[in-house]
Amino acid sequence: MTEILAAEPHAVTAAAEGAILANAWLLIAFPLAGAAILLLGGRRTNGWGHWLAIAMSLAGFAWAVLALVQLLGLAPQERSRSAHVYEWFSVGAFTVDVNLLIDPLSITFALLITGVGSLIHIYSVGYMAHDENRRRFFAYLNLFVAAMLVLVLADNYALLFLGWEGVGLASYLLIGFWQHKPSAAVAAKKAFLINRVGDMGLLIAIMLMFATFGTLSFAPVAEAAGDAGRGVITAIGLLLLLGACGKSAQLPLQAWLLDAMEGPTPVSALIHAATMVTAGVYLIVRSGPIFEAAPYAQLVVAAVGAATLLAGAIIGCAKDDIKKALAGSTMSQIGYMTLAAGLGPIGYAAAIAHLVTHGFFKAGLFLGAGSVMHGMNDQVDMRRYGALRKAMPITFATFGLGYLAIIGFPFLSGWWTKEGIIEAAFAFGGVTGQILGWATLIGAGLTAFYMSRVMFMTFFGTARWDDGVHPHESPKSMTVPMIVLALGSVFLGAILVFGYRFAHFLEPVVGAPEHHEFSLAHMLTSWPSLTALALMVAGVAFAWARYGRAEVPRTAPAGNPITVAARNELYGNALNEALFMRPGQRLTAAAVAFDDTAVDGVVRGVAEGVRQSSQGLRQTQTGFARSYALTMVFGAAVVVATMLGVGVA
Amino acid sequence: MTIPWLTLAIALPALGGLGVALLPRDRAETAKRVTLGVTLATLVLLLAMASRFDPSGARLQFTEVYPWIPRFGVHYALGVDGIALVLILLSALLVPLVVLAAWNENDDAEDRGKGYFALILVLEAMMIGVFAATDVFLFYVLFEAMLIPVYFMIGRYGRGAQRRAAAVKFLLYSLFGGLLMLVSVIGVYALSSGAGQGTFLWSELAGPEGLLAGIDPATAKWLFLGFFVAFAIKAPMWPVHTWLPSAAGSSRPGTAVLLVGVLDKVGTYGMLRYCLELFPGAATWFVWPVIVLSLVSIVYGAVVAIGQSDMLRLIAYTSVSHFGFITLGIFAMTSQGQSGAALYMVNHGFSTGALFLIVGFLIARRGSAEIADYGGVQKAAPVLAGTFLVAGLSSLALPGLSPFVSEFLVFVGTFTAYPVPAVIASVGVVLAALYILWMYQRTMTGPLPQDRPAPRDLSGRELWAVGPLIALIVLFGLYPQPLLDVINPAVEQTMQQIDVTDPAPALDQVAGGQEGAGE
């Protein structure tokens, strides 16, 4: 009897598990169906399309929550369930399955994507209310959510690649959403192209994996990673990093992200801040065993992260366009995550924790920026803002909380997770640890400066508005998501980090490094932590002196060479143009000329000869087809003659 | 008695073509309806045949063999394996769509397009025949005979002042290749005579037991070259590709669909069926030269495509690049490479077919294929722009759309045998994004030109022409296995015939063949 009683809960769990975890495909099917209905349904769905899209996104979120509950009901080492959906394609020994992996890492992403995604869907109802193509916008948002879920739920690299390029497509469609604007169309193409360079790296990595391991599934690749040759595994690591750099706008493939701000602001919040751009970090953490077998590649990951976190921060310091300042910040924050992911197991949990809190506060900041733009006739130049805190109190409060979170104000979300990265960098040890650690500290100071600059220029000081602008608070559909995100910006960090909850949760996937002293007491007293705090205060104070207390000019002053360089995004575009675009244009022109004159010239010479000889024929026989008929007769004669010849022989 | 499926499928459009040609001049409307009806009937017939195809059955199915010229061992011999089957189905699918798309295109011609539709039907019969032929001589005759309808479709019903020159160029190129092939065809006969029995039957010639098994390697290389050059011109491969941009640029888009979507596949199909299986030793010997030409085609075709100002020519050059992938996959001599190449032939037909059709719709609206004449189409005609984008994305092999699967298989299959060429070929992935998205940007986005009427969106007829292709591109992107289930056995048998196997994963080689790879 006791045995039966003991067995029963287990049976119930198994049955429920069959419903939720085994049917994980539904998670993707909801938003995919939404996108399909809205795109194929056309104008008929204009009236209710956006509500359907929201419902589909929320349904995905609900499914993800249920899956999380299921997962938590399992023993930690069993929290990895792969559900076979169908065989995608198979040739010889090469089979690619549509298998969905639900484990702590993927469910974290699924929750972030559908959760923040749903909030941004709701926000967009108000934000896009006056756009005649709002239905199409929601269709693309749903498509994005579906593709991103494929990316994080895939249990093999080929399926991941489907999601990877799928989010690239959604990003392309949404950056270019207002495609009647040439700048938007160009930015969309640029984003796709630069991402394709990264994708090429990922593609080659996939080929190399199959040639080496004979499989593309995460688990067997992870298991065998250590057995592969050092050169091969390093190459795989570096190629994966190239893919990650494209998607996550890390150096040297960063140049698309600032242009991507051409897209509607909810897109910038969801895709180009909270979720898609963090996919590179996901890829590196997911491929942890590969990088651990390739220390050199791992070091490059950390170095790329450090360089990008500084470059992004410097760019963020000089941009007057509020969205571009925030985009520089996104580059920089993802640089933090990449750096942490490059530290190996001691950094993985910190990277993902920061990724999650960043998803909240950066999405909140972007939605706040959108709210400001909404009230300011789509003005993005912060030099035309100022003193908005009274006109837009809710936006001010929610943006302010996001601001405090990102600069690492103690006890807010960003503080907990950024401290985790700073501590992990120093804990890495050696000269490398010191260099990386100091990069994170300097970055913290810069972050405080550029974010305070945004804050002060927008909400403080004097009103520098254009004529006819009457700032007003946004409707509830916009402010409620902002409030929810602000709550996350305040509390989520503590919830995740306190008591190592999140690190323990991720442990089955990313491993269990020895915990360094990340206790609250330690975080309040360790020297890196105190230094970070001091640099933050300095950054805020410096920004206050320049943009709070002092008058902000309505047109940007010339600025010193560093400012000019930062405004020009550290000449990344100029570099791309000089290295690739202009030589590429020359190559294309030369190739076209070569094809027309050299390759085709030979043939044209022959054709000309025939034309001239047929000219003679034309005098006796009218019509252009005659020469062909003659040729055919001649050909037939040759056939018959040779056949006879062979037959006789 | 067994139903002669293939003969019926050839006779139906052939007789239909004859009937349409014999219709009085003022019955152009009837001609259109008859043409559409015949092509749809042919499609239904072939689908019924395909449903009876047994993937695990004999290599060649629905075979028919009758002596034709007994004195020279020439047979009227038909039969299909999985690769021929999917290519025949592709042809039968594309033809009715082209008919629909070209419905009003030739209304200005003196015969209001009656002749054009008759030519399409005749061409369809020949296309089915050329893939179904299992007699080398019959194949050769159809290979050459196909030139006739295409020549008139370009030269007579084409576009622009250059069309006659383009048609002549197409013809000369093809005849040159055909002559070389003829020499090889005769050589094959002579060798089979020497081996005991003069025949053209593919099934008696190919394979380790075949009549060509023991031929002198040097001779085999020459005979291989005769076939290969003809197929390379047809495919087309760099540097014998320049006829294609001229021909496509001077074609009606519907003609271009059949030319690039189907006819060019005869080249790559011929490489698999004839070059590899009749002369396996020579084919293996020529692997590196072909790989190098493939890589040049991939990169060169894409770079020149980027620089085109005419959409038809641009798409033609992208095909040079895509055919580079197909030949790369074939000559990688792995199952993934060859299955990927065979699937690529089908998918390329969908994606390039759709692109050409949509450009045709644009031409119908504005009379020009010049990119510079367009802009902002998306705003006025969102459905047209949407289909163009999906077709374009499929051309750049976006995952989720059918061409991705085939390109991915070619990449993986090539890399396992020839890593460096696969890496070089991957540059094509970036270049493809550039040529497609730049064309889309210049034609579909931005403001509408003020000085011209806005183009109207797709009509119902146009949507019926391109819609099925878009649907198949998505369907086979997510679920390509039904096609691969048919193709894979044929590729396995090809690999057995030429005696090659897939390389084992590197780790297994180190561990001395530890089991469980690829599971």
Side-chain angles (χ1 to χ4, degrees), chain B residues 2-372:
Chain B
T2 52
I3 305 171
W5 291 98
L6 291 164
T7 297
L8 284 177
I10 294 168
L12 195 55
L15 294 175
L18 195 65
V20 168
L22 292 177
L23 278 172
R25 183 156 286 209
D26 55 352
R27 300 289 297 280
E29 272 311 305
T30 318
K32 289 176 188 175
R33 298 230 166 89
V34 170
T35 307
L36 185 62
V38 169
T39 56
L40 286 174
T42 311
L43 177 61
V44 170
L45 178 74
L46 283 167
L47 285 173
M49 182 189 93
S51 69
R52 287 165 174 77
F53 183 82
D54 176 12
S56 52
R59 169 75 186 267
L60 295 175
Q61 299 182 26
F62 312 110
T63 49
E64 301 170 40
V65 183
Y66 306 100
W68 179 19
I69 314 174
R71 186 167 171 204
F72 303 121
V74 176
H75 291 83
Y76 172 82
L78 303 177
V80 291
D81 63 2
I83 300 169
L85 178 69
V86 291
L87 289 171
I88 287 175
L89 287 176
L90 171 72
S91 318
L93 172 80
L94 286 177
V95 174
L97 301 181
V98 165
V99 171
L100 261 185
W103 202 253
N104 302 322
E105 230 170 32
N106 290 292
D107 283 358
D108 300 338
E110 58 178 317
D111 66 350
R112 300 196 55 223
K114 189 173 73 77
Y116 185 70
F117 289 110
L119 287 171
I120 285 185
L121 284 170
V122 171
L123 181 61
E124 178 173 24
M126 290 173 173
M127 291 190 306
I128 295 170
V130 83
F131 288 122
T134 55
D135 179 284
V136 180
F137 189 80
L138 179 64
F139 172 80
Y140 168 76
V141 169
L142 289 166
F143 184 85
E144 291 286 61
M146 281 193 315
L147 302 177
I148 303 167
V150 178
Y151 174 83
F152 287 109
M153 285 164 81
I154 298 172
R156 182 144 181 223
Y157 295 97
R159 301 171 56 245
Q162 297 298 311
R163 62 178 189 260
R164 287 179 188 178
V168 169
K169 188 169 168 183
F170 160 76
L171 196 66
L172 281 179
Y173 251 123
S174 304
L175 283 177
F176 172 71
L179 278 177
L180 290 182
M181 187 164 129
L182 177 62
V183 174
S184 284
V185 168
I186 294 165
V188 163
Y189 177 73
L191 283 171
S192 66
S193 302
Q197 171 209 0
T199 185
F200 286 103
L201 276 181
W202 178 83
S203 49
E204 291 178 11
L205 293 167
E209 309 293 317
L211 290 165
L212 294 181
I215 60 174
D216 168 48
T219 317
K221 281 173 201 160
W222 285 109
L223 295 178
F224 170 93
L225 273 182
F227 280 99
F228 183 81
V229 173
F231 295 145
I233 289 174
K234 182 119 308 192
M237 213 172 187
W238 188 90
V240 286
H241 63 276
T242 55
W243 66 269
L244 181 67
S246 332
S250 300
S251 291
R252 291 278 171 197
T255 312
V257 172
L258 298 180
L259 186 64
V260 182
V262 180
L263 261 71
D264 290 356
K265 275 30 174 281
V266 179
T268 44
Y269 166 80
M271 289 181 195
L272 257 176
R273 174 65 78 81
Y274 297 99
C275 287
L276 261 56
E277 295 200 57
L278 292 184
F279 316 105
T284 332
W285 195 83
F286 278 107
V287 158
W288 271 106
V290 179
I291 285 182
V292 169
L293 288 179
S294 303
L295 292 178
V296 174
S297 296
I298 290 170
V299 177
Y300 181 96
V303 169
V304 179
I306 293 167
Q308 295 303 308
S309 58
D310 177 294
M311 284 186 269
L312 293 173
R313 288 178 62 88
L314 190 154
I315 299 166
Y317 275 108
T318 69
S319 294
V320 173
S321 183
H322 288 145
F323 278 102
F325 277 106
I326 298 177
T327 49
L328 185 67
I330 292 173
F331 280 83
M333 304 284 181
T334 60
S335 59
Q336 291 88 24
Q338 294 188 342
S339 283
L343 187 61
Y344 209 125
M345 295 184 214
V346 178
N347 289 332
H348 177 265
F350 297 154
S351 75
T352 306
L355 279 175
F356 272 130
L357 287 183
I358 298 162
V359 172
F361 302 152
L362 287 171
I363 294 172
R365 281 155 178 73
R366 205 165 267 171
S368 164
E370 283 291 313
I371 290 172

Side-chain angles (χ1 to χ4, degrees), chain A residues 86 88-91 93 162 165 169 179-180 185-186 189 192 196 207 210-214 588 594-595 600 603 628 646, chain B residues 148 169 171 173 186 241-242 300 307 317 336 396 399-400 411 429 441 445-446 477-478 480-481 488 505-507 518:
Chain A
Y86 69 97
W88 189 8
F89 53 88
S90 172
V91 176
L162 169 67
E165 288 227 316
L169 168 66
Q179 51 178 286
H180 52 273
V186 170
K189 183 193 65 189
F192 197 96
R196 265 262 153 149
M207 299 182 219
F210 179 71
T212 309
F213 305 114
T588 307
F594 175 76
D595 202 60
D600 201 33
V603 187
Y628 171 70
V646 172
Chain B
I148 303 167
K169 188 169 168 183
L171 196 66
Y173 251 123
I186 294 165
H241 63 276
T242 55
Y300 181 96
Y317 275 108
Q336 291 88 24
L396 61 78
F411 270 125
V429 166
Q441 179 200 322
T445 72
L478 297 174
Q481 199 57 34
N488 283 342
L507 276 188

